[in-house]
Amino acid sequence: MKVMKFGGTSVGSVNSILSVKKIVEAAEEPVIVIVSALGGVTDQLINTSKMASAGDSRYEGEFREIVFRHVEMIKAVIPAGEKQQDLQRRVGELLNELKDIFQGIYLIKDLSPKTSDMIVSYGERLSSIIVAALIQDAVWFDSRSFVKTERKHARHMLDAELTNKLIKETFKVLPNVSLVPGFISSDKVTGDVTNLGRGGSDYTAAIIAAALDASGLEIWTDVDGFMTADPRVISTAYTITELSYVEATELCNFGAKVVYPPTIYPVCHKNIPILIKNTFNPEAVGTIIKQQVSSPLGKAIKGISSINDTSLITVQGLGMVGVIGVNYRIFKVLAKSGISVFLVSQASSENSTSIGVRNADADLACEVLNEEFAKEIEMGEIGHVCAEKDLATVAIVGENMKHTPGIAGKLFGTLGRNGINVIACAQGASETNISFVVESKSLRKSLNVIHDSFFLSEYQVLNLFICGIGTVGDSLIEQIRCQQQKLMQENGLKLNVVGIANSSFAMFRREGLDLSNYRVELKEKGIKNSPKIFHDEVIKMNIFNSVFVDCTANAEVAALYKDFLQHNISVVAANKIAASSKYDNYRELKQVARHRGVKFLFETNVGAGLPIINTINDLINSGDKILKIEAVLSGTLNYIFNKISADIPFSKAIQMAKEEGYSEPDPRIDLSGKDVIRKLVILGREAGYRLEQEDVEKHLFVPAEYFEGSLDDFWKRVSTLDANFEAQRKLLESEKKHWCFVARLENGKASVGLQEVDASHPFYGLEGSNNIILLTTERYKEYPMMIRGYGAGAGVTAAGVFADIMSIANV
């Protein structure tokens, strides 16, 4: 024999109630079926009661809705004929009784708890006789005759011993299908109608299953089972196939509304498994709750539950230290006031105790606690008690946590790196639950980052905001698009581009943007953009594991880095402005990133995709010291000086560099050496030197007047330099030498300038737009370390940015 319970949504519509009939009639053993009221009817009954007691005549309209709902359900599911007429008559009698009760309430304008209990019982009584008539050979039983309660602490509490005895007597002979209304009961002394509280139909089913030693308890609802997290918040949440009784209880107590928490207790002691199934998707596996369950490999926690309705009340004061009985007084007065506490956190010094309650109970809790401790408050031993509202409680649950060291450390470290402040926390000695309180606005982010970090998600997710879709940005987006599937399959990493912007438009999508057609979508659906708008939208999304990727050369965009880092958003920059700005700003950005536990990466600021900055960092971190840096750092200038020949004058080489995409749109930025100066400053700072751009000596090869006026003026005048450059080039060629624009840092002094190198110099054979760097260190003194390769181009720069993103994912 097994017990099957169907919730309000399962009997709430014609299709669902017919599905119940199909499920029950397919059972291969005797079943006891418990049903709730038709979906939403209990709330309607309560609302109608309140309207009637307030003298509001509109209660009659509400009551007519209830009548119509049941009458139409009977017409839809029971064929016309004698059976339907008989059922309509029985339902009509109950509805007439209910009508008289409502009218009486309306006339005397009073609603007693006893009358309220009577009224809500009609929901289950009506639904159960409809379902009993629908299912073949079903026999209806009145749960009021065998589920008995007694009054304790102003509440109706189950008399378990008497109820078990009566259940065994009632079901001594089992029909094929027994139909029982859930939720309702009766007082063992007076016989008055009582109920088992919200979710009481689950409890009714569990009580009967335990009393009769059922083979199983099935809870049929509108979800596939317990989920790893709330699927409305986390799209990647999935059904947990197995839970232990303890795990299920913890999840239920902290917001998972799949099962009414007291349901688990009766069947747990009899080791009766509970199976959660979906009435609307009966083929789904569901969740089974039992004593012993397997622990998935690598998953220390089973699920995450949350209560987005938390107030934290703290009783604190030095007068509590060493005083016995303070907590007793706290919980005694709260219990007397009917206030449920779901979280307790106490300082080891005993000078404060924090408790979590529902927002609706917060004001009353403060009132009664201030009354209880009035004397201590007056003497200054305890502070005035007040509530911190609009909070949320999150619980991570899993019995396997007790065998896995470092769970709490990983939890709070992960939350901290994402900028989530934990206000209070609690962990039981059983180690099956770690609960913590955060601001409500951080709930979504908290759930997502925990789900991702504890391997409950199929993939680790990195959420990217990309600003700038020029040659580098466009190439980066294409590289990400091409690699997305492979990274998910082979690395378990999902790169989720949630924001894209250019100087005119921006678009954001929490679930990720389609990268195959983003330019068209940006133009058609994007919002108007500015650095401030982009900043505000990114912060407002408050998304977990987020990275801001700057592929611009914009100073206003670079000015956003600090605030992003302070909001725990990592920054990857191809933009050199921030890292080469005033030294104090550079240091502050690095310090903020370190303190917030996020990354500020800018490898591509020097050498595009070459591992120059990372190499310097590795040397410094391993205890080496950079003594000298010699480098050709401008792919543009190296390209120009490699192209100059008898056939290609200086001005033509500049034009070619621009056409090939090596130079800035305004090549004067490259020719002025400003780009190289920025790069040298960045390398010097990373090498441990305090260096400003003004400290770099400049030996330039283009006269200052060529940088004045417009870009058109420059193009008109630059050819006048060709003859001089050609004469010098011929002279160098005869001496078998070559030009290189070299950046140098030695003994803390920095300079940039054109240098003549012969065939014996490492820079001599540098081709195309390549970069080269020589690092002389205390370890690499006689033979400097050399890094050489492509130093310009959208593809390699984008690849370097991509590598920085991947290094964040692999932290």
Side-chain angles (χ1 to χ4, degrees):
M1 181 275 294
K2 67 179 177 181
V3 177
M4 307 172 76
K5 178 265 176 178
F6 293 89
T9 52
S10 298
V11 292
S13 67
V14 172
N15 288 338
S16 63
I17 208 166
L18 291 175
S19 181
V20 170
K21 170 181 169 67
K22 184 177 179 181
I23 291 166
V24 172
E25 292 180 352
E28 297 178 352
E29 58 184 316
V31 294
I32 298 177
V33 178
I34 287 84
V35 296
S36 298
L38 303 188
V41 165
T42 300
D43 287 334
Q44 283 183 292
L45 290 168
I46 293 170
N47 188 47
T48 306
S49 301
K50 290 178 179 178
M51 292 174 70
S53 66
D56 186 346
S57 62
R58 290 177 299 172
Y59 87 87
E60 293 178 326
E62 286 289 308
F63 175 69
R64 283 194 293 271
E65 284 291 325
I66 295 171
V67 173
F68 179 79
R69 179 93 178 273
H70 290 86
V71 169
E72 290 302 306
M73 179 65 80
I74 293 170
K75 289 179 181 178
V77 300
I78 305 294
E82 187 177 339
K83 187 175 183 180
Q84 187 193 96
Q85 291 173 2
D86 181 60
L87 181 57
Q88 291 282 22
R89 178 185 57 77
R90 292 172 61 197
V91 167
E93 289 173 356
L94 288 175
L95 290 170
N96 282 332
E97 290 175 14
L98 186 57
K99 179 182 179 182
D100 291 341
I101 295 171
F102 282 136
Q103 188 173 12
I105 294 170
Y106 176 72
L107 290 172
I108 65 173
K109 294 182 178 56
D110 181 66
L111 178 63
S112 68
K114 177 180 175 180
T115 306
S116 182
D117 287 346
M118 170 66 79
I119 288 170
V120 293
S121 74
Y122 280 88
E124 274 72 14
R125 291 164 67 188
L126 289 164
S127 66
S128 62
I129 63 172
I130 293 172
V131 176
L134 176 66
I135 296 173
Q136 186 176 0
D137 299 328
V139 178
W140 185 84
F141 291 84
D142 189 348
S143 55
R144 293 174 296 177
S145 66
F146 52 82
V147 180
K148 296 296 182 178
T149 62
E150 56 185 333
R151 196 160 185 82
K152 289 183 179 179
H153 307 297
R155 296 179 62 190
H156 302 298
M157 307 295 292
L158 180 74
D159 185 328
E161 186 177 346
L162 177 58
T163 298
N164 284 345
K165 176 186 174 187
L166 293 174
I167 289 172
K168 290 175 181 178
E169 291 175 358
T170 302
F171 295 98
K172 188 175 292 184
V173 178
L174 271 176
N176 191 42
V177 178
S178 304
L179 212 296
V180 177
F183 174 69
I184 56 177
S185 50
S186 64
D187 188 276
K188 71 174 185 178
V189 177
T190 64
D192 293 336
V193 175
T194 59
N195 63 68
L196 301 177
R198 283 285 190 172
S201 292
D202 286 1
Y203 195 26
T204 304
I207 293 164
I208 294 173
L212 299 177
D213 294 314
S215 60
L217 168 60
E218 295 180 3
I219 305 288
W220 289 82
T221 181
D222 57 357
V223 294
D224 287 346
F226 278 86
M227 306 289 283
T228 51
D230 187 342
R232 294 168 299 180
V233 177
I234 300 176
S235 58
T236 55
Y238 56 88
T239 305
I240 306 169
T241 55
E242 287 187 344
L243 284 172
S244 69
Y245 293 119
V246 172
E247 289 170 336
T249 301
E250 295 284 9
L251 288 171
C252 289
N253 283 331
F254 281 87
K257 298 178 181 178
V258 181
V259 177
Y260 180 53
T263 304
I264 299 169
Y265 181 77
V267 293
C268 171
H269 284 275
K270 291 293 188 74
N271 200 20
I272 298 170
I274 306 172
L275 179 61
I276 312 298
K277 295 282 283 181
N278 190 342
T279 309
F280 305 91
N281 184 24
E283 292 79 22
V285 175
T287 300
I288 189 163
I289 304 168
K290 55 186 181 178
Q291 197 74 51
Q292 297 293 329
V293 296
S294 58
S295 297
L297 186 64
K299 295 183 180 179
I301 71 173
K302 282 287 186 69
I304 314 164
S305 195
S306 61
I307 302 171
N308 191 15
D309 174 22
T310 298
S311 286
L312 196 65
I313 297 170
T314 301
V315 181
Q316 62 182 345
L318 294 177
M320 296 171 60
V321 178
V323 178
I324 297 172
V326 173
N327 284 344
Y328 167 74
R329 291 171 63 189
I330 292 173
F331 296 111
K332 180 187 71 173
V333 72
L334 292 175
K336 280 186 176 180
S337 302
I339 297 170
S340 176
V341 175
F342 54 79
L343 179 137
V344 180
S345 178
Q346 182 175 23
S348 58
S349 63
E350 300 181 37
N351 73 340
S352 72
T353 297
S354 297
I355 55 174
V357 300
R358 302 280 184 178
N359 285 326
D361 294 330
D363 291 338
L364 177 59
C366 291
E367 181 183 334
V368 298
L369 286 169
N370 281 315
E371 289 176 5
E372 175 68 24
F373 293 99
K375 184 177 179 181
E376 288 86 351
I377 292 170
E378 185 179 352
M379 296 173 65
E381 294 177 354
I382 291 179
H384 184 77
V385 180
C386 56
E388 187 175 357
K389 297 182 179 180
D390 298 320
L391 305 175
T393 304
V394 180
I396 64 169
V397 173
E399 290 207 85
N400 202 35
M401 289 198 298
K402 66 182 71 171
H403 306 302
T404 309
I407 292 295
K410 181 178 180 180
L411 170 65
F412 296 118
T414 300
L415 293 171
R417 282 194 302 276
N418 281 273
I420 299 164
N421 182 43
V422 175
I423 299 168
C425 64
Q427 180 178 13
S430 65
E431 297 185 68
T432 56
N433 178 326
I434 301 176
S435 309
F436 60 92
V437 178
V438 297
E439 293 180 328
S440 289
K441 66 181 181 181
S442 298
L443 177 59
R444 173 188 285 272
K445 193 175 184 181
S446 300
L447 295 175
N448 273 282
V449 73
I450 297 169
H451 202 267
D452 183 78
S453 300
F454 282 90
F455 309 108
L456 294 179
S457 297
E458 187 176 359
Y459 309 108
Q460 178 193 355
V461 178
L462 210 60
N463 291 300
L464 309 179
F465 296 93
I466 300 176
C467 188
I469 53 173
T471 54
V472 173
D474 184 63
S475 182
L476 173 65
I477 290 171
E478 180 60 17
Q479 289 178 24
I480 291 172
R481 186 189 70 80
C482 293
Q483 284 293 104
Q484 274 179 324
Q485 201 64 35
K486 183 179 179 182
L487 288 172
M488 285 194 290
Q489 291 174 352
E490 297 182 8
N491 297 65
L493 173 65
K494 182 178 181 181
L495 294 181
N496 201 31
V497 180
V498 295
I500 292 178
N502 59 19
S503 58
S504 302
F505 299 100
M507 60 180 178
F508 304 90
R509 191 172 301 145
R510 186 175 288 273
E511 61 273 19
L513 295 162
D514 179 6
L515 302 185
S516 61
N517 196 34
Y518 77 91
R519 283 189 177 273
V520 173
E521 194 172 357
L522 181 64
K523 189 174 182 180
E524 293 178 352
K525 300 179 182 179
I527 61 173
K528 286 186 177 180
N529 188 42
S530 70
K532 183 180 186 308
I533 290 172
F534 192 81
H535 164 273
D536 292 347
E537 288 294 326
V538 172
I539 300 299
K540 185 172 70 176
M541 283 182 75
N542 194 31
I543 201 165
F544 76 109
N545 288 358
S546 52
V547 182
F548 172 66
V549 183
D550 182 7
C551 295
T552 74
N554 188 300
E556 286 185 87
V557 175
L560 304 177
Y561 296 177
K562 180 180 174 182
D563 205 32
F564 283 150
L565 293 169
Q566 287 177 330
H567 281 84
N568 291 78
I569 300 169
S570 291
V571 173
V572 171
N575 187 343
K576 292 181 278 290
I577 291 174
S580 62
S581 63
K582 291 296 183 183
Y583 182 83
D584 288 342
N585 182 62
Y586 156 83
R587 288 302 305 164
E588 185 177 21
L589 292 176
K590 300 270 281 189
Q591 287 169 358
V592 170
R594 186 171 65 254
H595 291 158
R596 303 298 294 190
V598 292
K599 295 293 181 181
F600 172 38
L601 302 177
F602 42 89
E603 178 66 71
T604 56
N605 280 192
V606 183
L610 295 177
I612 298 172
I613 292 175
N614 280 338
T615 300
I616 289 175
N617 287 333
D618 289 343
L619 291 170
I620 297 293
N621 292 335
S622 66
D624 204 351
K625 182 179 181 180
I626 308 295
L627 302 176
K628 182 167 66 173
I629 297 174
E630 298 171 278
V632 175
L633 298 174
S634 173
T636 305
L637 295 181
N638 197 55
Y639 176 89
I640 290 169
F641 289 119
N642 274 314
K643 283 294 181 183
I644 292 176
S645 65
D647 300 320
I648 301 176
F650 178 60
S651 60
K652 176 64 175 176
I654 298 171
Q655 184 66 42
M656 291 173 67
K658 182 177 182 297
E659 291 171 356
E660 291 290 330
Y662 291 126
S663 79
E664 298 288 342
D666 184 346
R668 291 179 296 180
I669 296 173
D670 298 292
L671 297 171
S672 69
K674 186 175 182 179
D675 186 59
V676 177
I677 291 168
R678 285 175 174 171
K679 292 176 179 177
L680 181 59
V681 165
I682 292 168
L683 292 183
R685 289 172 174 178
E686 292 296 289
Y689 296 94
R690 185 183 180 99
L691 197 62
E692 301 283 6
Q693 290 188 42
E694 295 77 19
D695 299 331
V696 180
E697 293 182 12
K698 307 169 189 66
H699 306 287
L700 304 182
F701 54 89
V702 174
E705 60 266 23
Y706 283 79
F707 298 102
E708 299 172 357
S710 68
L711 182 58
D712 287 339
D713 293 335
F714 169 77
W715 285 118
K716 290 174 184 176
R717 300 173 58 190
V718 69
S719 59
T720 59
L721 298 172
D722 289 348
N724 183 48
F725 269 97
E726 177 58 19
Q728 293 182 58
R729 187 199 65 78
K730 284 182 178 178
L731 180 62
L732 286 176
E733 189 176 49
S734 67
E735 297 174 352
K736 294 185 179 180
K737 291 181 180 179
H738 188 66
W739 273 317
C740 286
F741 192 77
V742 177
R744 182 187 301 272
L745 177 68
E746 188 172 8
N747 297 323
K749 294 184 177 181
S751 64
V752 297
L754 210 55
Q755 181 177 322
E756 300 173 1
V757 296
D758 59 24
S760 64
H761 198 285
F763 294 173
Y764 183 80
L766 197 62
E767 298 177 348
S769 63
N770 285 4
N771 281 188
I772 188 169
I773 182 167
L774 298 179
L775 298 174
T776 303
T777 76
E778 289 182 343
R779 293 177 189 155
Y780 294 87
K781 204 166 188 177
E782 187 175 354
Y783 299 101
M785 179 185 288
M786 183 170 68
I787 303 170
R788 178 175 179 168
Y790 286 119
V796 292
T797 303
V801 173
F802 202 161
D804 275 350
I805 293 170
M806 290 299 296
S807 71
I808 293 173
N810 294 328
V811 169

